[in-house]
């Protein structure tokens, strides 16, 4: 049925009150002297007759539909999917725009007085460089660096940058991530500066981490090991690494002995951090991201459409809600 002019005017007025002025249906009903059920019917009719158009708009680089689907599928607190580069290279690392979006997300998640933890990774370094707002917080480095000689342009600089933006304290770690043997790693952990950073690990409230797949150029740890060591860990079924922790395709930790040689936050401490944001994307990392999501160590993800499409179509077997924070060392 056609709406007469009086009905059209009334519907437009009610819609304006509801959608633009934020009034409740009860308030509108009282103003117009009708029941709230009548108001609900009028608003529904206004939508059906195209009198009101609701448009949901997000920045072009964000894919809201994939983001919500990914969040629901893996039980994440936050999932943000950005458009992959138009011409993604097969051997490309994480798209740099992931760091920019992750920087904005941290600006939302970090509150005054929080302790922010940053793990080594290209994506976290890009994120730190893009930071332009953070409330006052303490920033601590969660892993050693890829190579001690790159500290000024790596994770140490990322920690300094984040602390500068927030105006808080910085606790960097001046040490390599991987050491020749457990004894050397243990000795370094006892050094004053490194021990001080480790003391903050249990206080971290928000952490940003990277993910690598077990192949050259896509995993920091893979590239630091000898051919023999790589073959050994590959034989254990390693599919992904995060902060020097190795995972098989089901998210279980493998090769735990490697951690004894590394300067890194322990897996159990990571699991106790309230918010752990993983930043990783690209087709070559997609399976690795899925493995880490199954580990129970992360709560949120910033990724791209290339990885998201894989994650949304892979088998749901073994997928547990990330917010359950399952123990990756459990049986």
């Amino acid at each position: 049925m056609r709406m007469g002019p009086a009905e059209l005017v009334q519907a437009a007025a009610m819609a304006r009150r509801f959608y633009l002025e934020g009034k409740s249906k009860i308030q509108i009903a009282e103003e117009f002297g009708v029941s709230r059920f009548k108001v609900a019917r009028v608003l529904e009719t206004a939508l059906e007759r195209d009198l009101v158009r609701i448009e949901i708009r997000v920045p072009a680089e964000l894919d809201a539909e994939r983001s919500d689907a990914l969040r629901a599928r893996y039980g994440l607190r936050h999932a943000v999917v950005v458009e992959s580069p138009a011409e993604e290279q097969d051997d490309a690392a994480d798209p740099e725009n992931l760091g920019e979006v992750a920087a904005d997300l941290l600006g939302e998640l970090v509150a005054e007085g929080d302790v922010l933890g940053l793990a080594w990774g290209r994506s976290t370094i890009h994120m730190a460089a893009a930071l332009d707002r953070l409330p006052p917080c303490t920033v601590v480095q969660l892993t050693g660096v890829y190579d001690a000689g790159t500290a000024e342009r790596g994770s140490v600089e990322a920690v300094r940058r984040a602390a500068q933006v927030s105006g808080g304290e910085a606790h960097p770690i001046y040490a390599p991530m991987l050491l020749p043997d457990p004894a050397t790693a243990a000795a370094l952990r006892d050094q004053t500066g490194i021990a001080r950073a480790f003391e903050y690990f249990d206080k971290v409230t928000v952490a940003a981490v990277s993910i690598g797949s077990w192949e050259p150029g896509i995993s920091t740890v893979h590239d630091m090991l000898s051919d023999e060591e790589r073959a050994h860990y590959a034989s254990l079924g390693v599919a992904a690494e995060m902060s020097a922790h190795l995972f098989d395709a089901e998210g279980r930790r493998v090769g735990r002995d490697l951690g004894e040689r590394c300067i890194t936050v322990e897996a159990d401490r990571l699991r106790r951090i309230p918010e752990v944001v993983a930043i990783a994307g690209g087709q070559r990392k997609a399976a690795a991201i899925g493995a880490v999501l199954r580990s129970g160590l992360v709560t949120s993800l910033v990724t791209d459409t290339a990885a998201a499409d894989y994650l949304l179509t892979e088998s749901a077997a073994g997928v547990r809600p990330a917010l359950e924070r399952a123990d990756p060392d459990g049986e």
Side-chain angles (χ1 to χ4, degrees), residues 93-103 119 121-131 153-154 158 161 210 279:
D94 300 310
E96 289 194 22
N97 60 341
L98 292 187
E100 298 170 3
V101 173
R122 296 180 186 89
S123 56
T124 52
I125 291 170
H126 290 152
M127 178 206 69
L131 283 171
R153 49 194 169 85
R161 166 66 182 166
S210 297
I279 311 163

Side-chain angles (χ1 to χ4, degrees), residues 10-57:
Q10 185 184 67
M14 289 184 175
R16 183 175 292 106
R17 305 289 195 281
F18 186 73
Y19 292 109
L20 300 183
E21 299 176 12
K23 292 187 176 181
S24 70
K25 293 175 183 175
I26 293 177
Q27 290 174 315
I28 297 170
E30 290 176 351
E31 178 183 348
F32 286 88
V34 298
S35 71
R36 61 186 177 90
F37 302 105
K38 170 69 178 296
V39 173
R41 287 195 300 271
V42 170
L43 293 175
E44 183 179 346
T45 300
L47 283 172
E48 292 174 350
R49 302 294 176 86
D50 212 23
L51 185 63
V52 173
R53 296 181 182 180
I54 298 177
E55 184 177 7
I56 300 173
R57 302 181 65 183

Side-chain angles (χ1 to χ4, degrees), residues 42-239:
V42 170
L43 293 175
E44 183 179 346
T45 300
L47 283 172
E48 292 174 350
R49 302 294 176 86
D50 212 23
L51 185 63
V52 173
R53 296 181 182 180
I54 298 177
E55 184 177 7
I56 300 173
R57 302 181 65 183
V58 296
E61 70 270 17
L62 297 183
D63 191 310
E65 185 175 351
R66 284 185 176 93
S67 297
D68 188 56
L70 200 59
R71 179 201 57 76
R73 182 179 180 85
Y74 288 90
L76 294 159
R77 184 172 290 119
H78 303 284
V80 182
V81 178
V82 304
E83 290 291 339
S84 299
E87 296 182 1
E88 181 182 1
Q89 301 296 320
D90 290 339
D91 60 350
D94 300 310
E96 289 194 22
N97 60 341
L98 292 187
E100 298 170 3
V101 173
D104 286 341
L105 179 61
L106 278 194
E108 291 183 72
L109 300 181
V110 176
E112 183 173 351
D114 275 349
V115 177
L116 171 63
L118 299 181
W120 194 95
R122 296 180 186 89
S123 56
T124 52
I125 291 170
H126 290 152
M127 178 206 69
L131 283 171
D132 59 10
R133 64 184 176 100
L134 272 181
C137 64
T138 299
V139 186
V140 60
Q141 193 169 323
L142 296 179
T143 64
V145 297
Y146 173 58
D147 173 30
T150 66
E152 289 303 314
R153 49 194 169 85
S155 47
V156 170
E157 181 56 32
V159 169
R160 287 175 175 166
R161 166 66 182 166
Q164 180 184 33
V165 172
S166 73
E169 295 181 4
H171 294 276
I173 294 178
Y174 295 96
M177 181 187 295
L178 180 67
L179 283 303
D181 54 70
T184 304
L188 275 178
R189 291 190 200 103
D190 288 337
Q191 289 190 359
T192 303
I194 297 174
R196 186 177 298 117
F198 268 64
E199 289 174 359
Y200 275 90
F201 286 178
D202 287 329
K203 303 174 184 177
V204 174
T205 50
V206 181
V209 300
S210 297
I211 295 173
S213 56
W214 198 244
E215 54 181 308
I218 309 295
S219 164
T220 300
V221 173
H222 179 281
D223 293 347
M224 288 191 287
L225 296 174
S226 66
D227 290 341
E228 183 179 356
E229 290 170 324
R230 291 175 192 137
H232 165 67
Y233 290 117
S235 72
L236 300 179
V238 60

Side-chain angles (χ1 to χ4, degrees), residues 260-271:
E260 298 175 5
R261 297 169 49 195
C262 293
I263 303 297
T264 186
V265 60
E266 300 93 328
D268 193 51
R269 276 175 157 172
L270 260 180
R271 189 163 59 93

